[in-house]
Amino acid sequence: MRYLEPGTDAMAGVQSVRTRRAVGEMRKSLAQFKSRGVSAAQELDERAALFLT
């Protein structure tokens, strides 16, 4: 199994519209967990936001 180096992201370089939509939907789903203070949801949402920029 291939492992990523620290600081790299498996989604780096992905430009698919379908993938970007899925990430957007994921962020919507994470909102309910973020509002409850789940730190993992906050971290994942931050990474998703960076991916979409």
Side-chain angles (χ1 to χ4, degrees):
M1 176 174 233
R2 188 174 141 220
Y3 294 97
L4 295 174
E5 294 293 323
T8 61
D9 195 325
M11 297 301 289
V14 175
Q15 299 294 322
S16 163
V17 172
R18 186 182 306 169
T19 300
R20 294 179 67 78
R21 283 186 189 146
V23 171
E25 290 298 316
M26 179 183 71
R27 291 190 74 204
K28 289 178 190 177
S29 298
L30 287 170
Q32 64 183 319
F33 298 102
K34 282 178 48 182
S35 67
R36 295 178 192 163
V38 178
S39 61
Q42 178 65 37
E43 283 182 40
L44 188 54
D45 185 60
E46 289 171 6
R47 291 182 65 194
L50 285 173
F51 172 78
L52 293 173
T53 59

